[in-house]
Amino acid sequence: MIRDGRYEGQSGDLSVTLRVDADGSGVISADVFRTEGRRYLASARTAPGAKVALDDGRWPAVWQASPANKTTGSLALDSAADGTVSATFVLDAPLNGLPARTGVIVPVEHEDDALRPLGLEIELEQGVPAPSPVVVEGIERTVGGCLRAAGFAVQEIGRQSSIPAGIAGAWDDSLLYTMLSDLMLITGDASLRGRAWELHLLLLSRAAIPGLAGVMFDADGLLQRQGAAVFTAGFAGAARDQRIIRTIVHELGHALNLAHRFERAVGRADSTSFMNYDWRYLGGGHEADYWRNFAFTFDADELAFLRHGPLTSLIPGGEPFHSVRYWADGAGGHSPYAPEIPFDGYRLALTAPEAGPVFAFGQPVFLKVTLENRTAKELRVERWVLDPKAGPLELLVRRRGAPQDETAAFTPIAQRCMAAMDAEATLTLPPGASLSNNVNLTFGSAGFTFAEPGEYDITPVLAIPGRDPAGEPVQWLVSGEPLRVRVAPPQGVAEERDAEVLRTADVGAWFALGGSDALGSAKQALAEVRERRQAEAGTGDPVVAAITRTAALDAARPSIRFTDREFVRHDGDPEQAARLLDGLGAEALRTFDPYTAQQTAALADRYRDAAER
């Protein structure tokens, strides 16, 4: 009488969405709401480790209202002779308004064979065809089909609009963010600040960063795992469509809070899931093996999470990216594929601004990160090895005095996925040579990294795939010394007023993206802060310097907006950008880390040359 699928029901002031998946993941799960306003209360699933059989009737369950608010209980299903089905929930402790040790009985009706709904909007740049279905071993594979196999009922949303070819030249994070924000506001049904089963994807030609295959955005309060982009210029040959389908589903997987399989926290480089890279498979050098074994699916723990994870952990607009350890929550514990082995052949270090490791409250936190080859031979590394948006660099942040388990890895608001590990994607570091980059830790997917005044320790960690002397896959682990920084409290009433501006989500995203036309209110508010502080303290004020630098980046970039169902481009203004940066003297540059200061001076020269041409 009970079959797999999604059920809906209501009893009194409670509404329930029930998912029965006995033949798939062997899990039953539910989301519980207040009927009025459909206000979310909690999610439940049968306890990990026990594959359900529908004739059992009652199972232990785990309940969650938020990552920090959980309890245990039970879940039971009963079917009557007339075909009706009832779900009975019992919680061992009160949870978000749900009672303890009281059976809550809700009659439910089968709504769909799919377990969760998902609206999908895909916008194409002119000249970029959507991938054709591919037939592998007699089975037709499409983006929608792959998502349906994962348990989703996929529906098209929005009103498709063709993006003019070449309108951006090459797409950077800021342009992508603006485009996705515009399209969601105009064509989507969901709010940028709300949770909804809706995803928006741009299918474009070329990215500004060579080798970039896709980007997913997750900014606290703004475009939270709701939008992504895929770039097709790097895909060619007979397997083009197959690779594009895999990449699209990969980026949508990120938007549903799935991590890369190869990364250090997950440690499953042996996976043939959508969420692995072919060139990362088995530690690298096994691309052909990956594609031979790739079955257009996710791994079992990923499927269980997509089908039965707590609503807020999964739904676009919900919990921050990479905040859920679904790979370690099942039965049997977590067994990484490649062990971590310390490697002292590299030196990894963070450098504070020349002015020192003390930051004004609200000042963006830029640091220099350096990787040095300390061996006697050449070492090859990924070109993006020091980019936390794309590479293996982790930055672990812990407020001084906090328990060790409160250390958090910084997660940028843009997650970049790279297409291949070829000669152009690597760099050679001779013995004694080093590679540097800057890292902007101001604002990530979980919000402001340094939300409160105080001292923080920041530790860089790098996990590089390789093989041990016996040829077995390992992760070479390089840890740098912690850098301690201090965030000062606001100095007086004026800075407290500035802090109200500097600590808003759109301002944080504006700094993280290097400006964005979609964040015009943040730009205007910061211009007023800059004007006041500059009049009082000059351009050497660290907040003024940071606002000025980002405003210059924003001014130099072309603007593309989608209004009245038309894409409009406005060219950047390098002359204005040069004027802004020319106003930053030596004192202002000292407020940046050495790498950012050097790059800022170089940008001023480049903008000046562009304005003169």
Side-chain angles (χ1 to χ4, degrees):
M1 303 297 291
I2 302 174
R3 59 192 176 104
D4 281 0
R6 185 173 81 250
Y7 293 73
E8 300 286 347
Q10 178 180 335
S11 177
D13 65 346
L14 295 181
S15 296
V16 167
T17 297
L18 180 79
R19 292 171 293 273
V20 179
D21 188 23
D23 291 337
S25 298
V27 177
I28 298 174
S29 62
D31 301 321
V32 182
F33 308 84
R34 288 288 179 210
T35 300
E36 184 177 356
R38 189 73 172 172
R39 181 170 66 86
Y40 173 73
L41 296 178
S43 295
R45 60 154 287 170
T46 50
K51 191 177 177 72
V52 304
L54 289 181
D55 56 0
D56 286 348
R58 182 176 298 273
W59 308 270
V62 291
W63 285 81
Q64 175 174 318
S66 70
N69 194 9
K70 303 178 182 181
T71 188
T72 56
S74 65
L75 187 158
L77 295 183
D78 299 291
S79 60
D82 61 0
T84 58
V85 177
S86 294
T88 302
F89 306 106
V90 178
L91 287 73
D92 293 335
L95 185 68
N96 202 22
L98 295 173
R101 307 187 187 284
T102 301
V104 178
I105 302 174
V106 181
V108 294
E109 294 184 1
H110 190 274
E111 291 287 328
D112 200 324
D113 290 340
L115 298 173
R116 280 180 151 142
L118 185 66
L120 179 60
E121 177 187 14
I122 300 181
E123 301 287 348
L124 281 72
E125 185 175 352
Q126 290 176 358
V128 178
S132 299
V134 297
V135 178
V136 179
E137 296 182 353
I139 302 175
E140 183 178 88
R141 307 291 188 176
T142 64
V143 170
C146 293
L147 292 172
R148 283 190 290 273
F152 293 97
V154 182
Q155 292 185 332
E156 292 184 6
I157 60 172
R159 299 181 297 275
Q160 196 172 86
S161 304
S162 183
I163 302 168
I167 191 171
W171 295 89
D172 67 11
D173 289 350
S174 179
L175 290 174
L176 292 169
Y177 181 91
T178 300
M179 283 285 293
L180 285 164
S181 297
D182 280 355
L183 290 168
M184 284 187 63
L185 286 170
I186 294 171
T187 68
D189 294 329
S191 164
L192 285 171
R193 297 178 184 269
R195 298 191 300 235
W197 292 107
E198 291 188 4
L199 290 176
H200 303 258
L201 180 85
L202 304 177
L203 197 57
L204 306 169
S205 175
R206 192 174 304 278
I209 299 174
L212 183 62
V215 179
M216 187 277 296
F217 290 98
D218 183 32
D220 179 41
L222 298 160
L223 207 58
Q224 292 179 261
R225 294 190 288 103
Q226 296 161 306
V230 166
F231 307 98
T232 64
F235 298 107
R240 175 187 181 274
D241 290 327
Q242 179 173 328
R243 291 173 180 267
I244 292 176
I245 290 171
R246 190 209 69 90
T247 304
I248 290 174
V249 178
H250 178 104
E251 294 306 321
L252 298 178
H254 282 324
L256 294 167
N257 222 347
L258 293 182
H260 286 129
R261 300 304 280 172
F262 56 78
E263 64 184 71
R264 188 170 73 99
V266 183
R268 300 303 314 190
D270 56 337
S271 165
T272 55
S273 161
F274 283 110
M275 303 313 296
N276 207 357
Y277 289 172
D278 56 354
W279 54 271
R280 286 277 199 186
Y281 181 56
L282 298 178
H286 291 271
E287 291 90 341
D289 295 326
Y290 172 87
W291 287 106
R292 184 163 46 251
N293 297 324
F294 178 59
F296 289 86
T297 190
F298 297 95
D299 286 342
D301 60 321
E302 295 172 316
L303 285 171
F305 175 67
L306 291 173
R307 296 172 177 179
H308 306 288
L311 181 141
T312 58
S313 298
L314 185 72
I315 190 171
E319 300 295 336
F321 179 63
H322 217 290
S323 62
V324 185
R325 292 177 57 85
Y326 55 86
W327 56 85
D329 291 341
H334 177 51
S335 177
Y337 163 72
E340 294 179 355
I341 299 179
F343 180 62
D344 60 4
Y346 286 124
R347 177 178 176 270
L348 188 63
L350 293 174
T351 306
E354 184 182 347
V358 179
F359 293 83
F361 191 74
Q363 176 188 352
V365 176
F366 286 88
L367 302 174
K368 176 184 178 181
V369 59
T370 302
L371 180 67
E372 179 187 357
N373 180 2
R374 305 178 74 176
T375 71
K377 62 180 181 180
E378 290 185 344
L379 295 175
R380 294 194 66 79
V381 296
E382 301 166 11
R383 186 176 295 275
W384 49 82
V385 66
L386 295 181
D387 178 6
K389 301 183 186 73
L393 176 67
E394 293 180 58
L395 296 155
L396 308 180
V397 181
R398 181 168 68 95
R399 191 172 182 182
R400 188 179 182 188
Q404 195 65 38
D405 61 4
E406 290 187 13
T407 300
F410 172 74
T411 303
I413 69 170
Q415 296 294 316
R416 298 172 180 163
C417 297
M418 312 309 291
M421 188 62 168
D422 54 25
E424 293 184 357
T426 60
L427 294 171
T428 299
L429 282 183
S434 62
L435 177 69
S436 295
N437 193 18
N438 68 345
V439 290
N440 181 357
L441 298 179
T442 309
F443 185 81
S445 63
F448 286 95
T449 309
F450 310 96
E452 299 294 335
E455 290 186 318
Y456 296 82
D457 289 331
I458 307 168
T459 305
V461 178
L462 200 58
I464 301 175
R467 297 188 183 276
D468 65 13
E472 294 298 318
V474 298
Q475 294 257 37
W476 298 116
L477 193 65
V478 185
S479 296
E481 291 295 321
L483 174 68
R484 180 161 294 173
V485 302
R486 183 164 68 87
V487 177
Q491 306 296 305
V493 175
E495 284 201 6
E496 288 181 0
R497 187 171 64 248
D498 292 345
E500 294 178 3
V501 174
L502 294 167
R503 281 295 184 260
T504 59
D506 55 348
V507 163
W510 191 79
F511 279 125
L513 293 166
S516 168
D517 268 17
L519 301 167
S521 60
K523 179 179 179 179
Q524 180 59 41
L526 286 170
E528 294 171 4
V529 170
R530 171 175 170 262
E531 182 178 357
R532 184 194 66 76
R533 294 180 73 122
Q534 184 169 330
E536 293 180 0
T539 58
D541 179 289
V543 174
V544 169
I547 295 173
T548 302
R549 177 184 179 276
T550 307
L553 296 174
D554 195 36
R557 184 187 298 113
S559 166
I560 301 169
R561 302 305 302 265
F562 182 59
T563 56
D564 297 327
R565 299 197 55 75
E566 183 180 7
F567 295 92
V568 180
R569 173 188 167 113
H570 299 283
D571 290 334
D573 188 345
E575 184 175 358
Q576 180 190 0
R579 282 198 306 271
L580 286 165
L581 294 185
D582 283 341
L584 296 180
E587 184 182 3
L589 293 179
R590 289 182 70 249
T591 67
F592 297 118
D593 67 89
Y595 186 91
T596 303
Q598 178 187 26
Q599 294 298 308
T600 300
L603 278 175
D605 293 338
R606 195 175 85 192
Y607 293 154
R608 202 178 303 109
D609 291 344
E612 292 172 357
R613 285 199 296 270

